[in-house]
Amino acid sequence: MSRHELHRPSTDPTPIFELFRGNFATELLTAAVAHFDVFGRLSRGPMAADDLRLALKLAERPAVVLFTALRAMGLLCRDDQGRLSLTELAREHLVPGGPFDVGGYIGLAARSPGVREMVDRLRSNHPNPSGSATEEGVAFVYREGLDSAMERESSARSLTLSLAGRARNVAPILAETYPLPECRTLLDVGGGSGLYSIAYLQRHPDLTAIVWDRPEVLKVALELAEELGVADRLECRSGDMFTDPVPHGSDVVLLSNILHDWDVPECRTLLSRLAEALSPGRRLLIHDVFLNDEMDGPLPIALYSASLFSLTEGRAYSAAEYREMLTDAGFEPGEVVPTLVHCGVLPAVRSS
Ligand SMILES: C[S@@+](CC[C@H](N)C(=O)[O-])C[C@H]1O[C@@H](n2cnc3c(N)ncnc32)[C@H](O)[C@@H]1O
């Protein structure tokens, strides 16, 4: 094996990612118990998700993040009319005043900075209500008018390299489990480090790829393409995926870890723009994490959703949610093929 070749890790790093995201369980549970009184409210009877959301004064995105996580934790469930209600576990231990209530114990964390910031974010539906998510601006997302870390050289570089660590593990598995033998041109939208394109280029010697991203991010992609021996087949093209013309002529478009950074309207806009640029029969790949279609798990994805909610304008979506967006945009969605670190690829074909 060449030293330039990307290859799969010998052990699965998924548990490390799960441990890293564990704080979101504490933050959401404590917010629900000590700041929003979710369990006290539901002890008076089941509520439609939208009624509970309005009672808590939450916008739709934070409500989905919070309710999905509480269901994934086994504390809320849906009754036969689809309303949110308490599980036996929550009824016995989280309703204020009950003989086995542990809400006071959970409340020990109520004033911790992580919990308070989570409560602020849930209430404001913003990555950081008091300013930017980082000193350099909001991470991972760029659109006109947003103070984005991806526009500054040092933060764009460090954020892109941080994702490159995950991509080095996952990209070779994506290229192996979902190869593109008959494709000639790949458009990697928001391709970041370019490692997903690079893995495909290494696998398919006749393939060329365009990584479409912000200029400061592309500096990293160019370095990696040179280091990994595919710079002659990888074009780094800078642009804004929401406003600039979509590069035409590709056989397949990759959206790797992109849609989860955006709220539903932006996901729909982006998918429609890509559909317009693709000829019938051409493919779009959503490489991402997927909540289950019930929206009650798996827990690691529900916690990752809270992380995405905290850093970006997005959250995790289910395959059913993506399928609806894809169909509305003019695609025929297929089945999810798992890759690594809870990711999978959902392929879709541009309808004729
Ligand atoms: C979460 S990262 C994903 C990077 C890579 N696809 C991966 O899977 O590792 C999101 C990427 O989208 C890019 N991006 C965000 N907003 C963009 C925009 N409006 N136009 C182009 N790229 C954008 C960011 O710069 C970043 O590289």
Side-chain angles (χ1 to χ4, degrees):
M1 193 176 305
S2 140
R3 105 188 141 80
H4 295 305
E5 206 175 315
L6 291 170
H7 55 92
R8 57 159 66 222
S10 55
T11 54
D12 181 349
T14 305
I16 295 171
F17 284 82
E18 291 183 4
L19 290 167
F20 173 65
R21 293 167 185 158
N23 61 305
F24 293 104
T26 307
E27 289 170 14
L28 291 174
L29 175 61
T30 310
V33 169
H35 293 269
F36 291 103
D37 187 28
V38 169
F39 303 99
R41 288 171 198 269
L42 286 174
S43 70
R44 298 189 278 276
M47 290 175 82
D50 224 35
D51 291 341
L52 181 60
R53 173 178 86 73
L54 293 172
L56 301 178
K57 299 190 174 63
L58 295 180
E60 211 147 306
R61 186 176 71 117
V64 172
V65 169
L66 180 64
F67 300 164
T68 301
L70 296 176
R71 292 179 72 195
M73 290 173 196
L75 301 173
L76 300 188
C77 57
R78 282 197 188 278
D79 70 4
D80 46 14
Q81 294 173 50
R83 297 172 302 182
L84 288 175
S85 65
L86 299 179
T87 61
E88 282 311 304
L89 178 66
R91 188 171 297 285
E92 184 165 25
H93 300 290
L94 292 174
V95 173
F100 296 107
D101 171 22
V102 296
Y105 191 88
I106 305 295
L108 289 171
R111 299 184 64 75
S112 76
V115 170
R116 283 154 68 139
E117 284 167 20
M118 175 58 81
V119 170
D120 282 352
R121 287 193 298 269
L122 289 166
R123 289 204 167 115
S124 68
N125 190 20
H126 189 281
N128 182 352
S130 56
S132 304
T134 67
E135 276 178 18
E136 298 89 358
V138 180
F140 304 124
V141 291
Y142 169 78
R143 61 174 163 71
E144 273 172 18
L146 190 76
D147 182 18
S148 166
M150 309 322 272
E151 300 303 279
R152 295 179 175 84
E153 185 171 14
S154 69
S155 49
R157 185 176 181 81
S158 69
L159 288 167
T160 302
L161 287 173
S162 70
L163 295 187
R166 178 178 60 182
R168 274 190 192 265
N169 284 272
V170 183
I173 295 178
L174 173 64
E176 189 181 304
T177 51
Y178 197 89
L180 299 170
E182 72 292 4
C183 291
R184 291 292 163 269
T185 317
L186 166 72
L187 173 62
D188 190 355
V189 177
S193 67
L195 281 167
Y196 290 91
S197 287
I198 292 170
Y200 272 120
L201 292 171
Q202 289 189 341
R203 186 171 186 93
H204 302 297
D206 294 331
L207 185 70
T208 59
I210 299 172
V211 175
W212 195 32
D213 208 304
R214 305 303 301 155
E216 294 301 334
V217 172
L218 291 174
K219 291 178 184 171
V220 178
L222 188 60
E223 281 170 28
L224 287 169
E226 281 166 359
E227 179 195 318
L228 293 163
V230 295
D232 55 334
R233 291 184 288 127
L234 186 142
E235 182 194 337
C236 291
R237 197 176 298 182
S238 84
D240 178 349
M241 63 193 180
F242 291 110
T243 56
D244 286 324
V246 177
H248 272 245
S250 52
D251 300 312
V252 60
V253 169
L254 176 64
L255 283 170
S256 178
N257 301 306
I258 296 301
L259 296 175
H260 69 207
D261 288 344
W262 299 98
D263 209 343
V264 175
E266 285 77 20
C267 292
R268 287 185 174 278
T269 300
L270 187 56
L271 289 172
S272 296
R273 299 192 87 228
L274 297 173
E276 274 171 33
L278 277 175
S279 315
R282 302 298 193 212
R283 257 177 300 168
L284 178 131
L285 309 179
I286 297 180
H287 181 250
D288 218 307
V289 294
F290 301 93
L291 287 166
N292 65 29
D293 291 352
E294 293 297 309
M295 302 292 283
D296 64 0
L299 182 59
I301 312 260
L303 298 185
Y304 181 43
S305 189
S307 160
L308 294 166
F309 165 75
S310 299
L311 287 171
T312 73
E313 301 197 347
R315 65 170 172 86
Y317 296 96
S318 67
E321 289 180 292
Y322 280 134
R323 284 201 180 94
E324 193 185 322
M325 293 184 213
L326 284 163
T327 307
D328 291 349
F331 291 97
E332 287 165 28
E335 296 302 319
V336 174
V337 182
T339 55
L340 193 72
V341 195
H342 299 296
C343 292
V345 59
L346 173 58
V349 176
R350 176 75 172 104
S351 321
S352 37

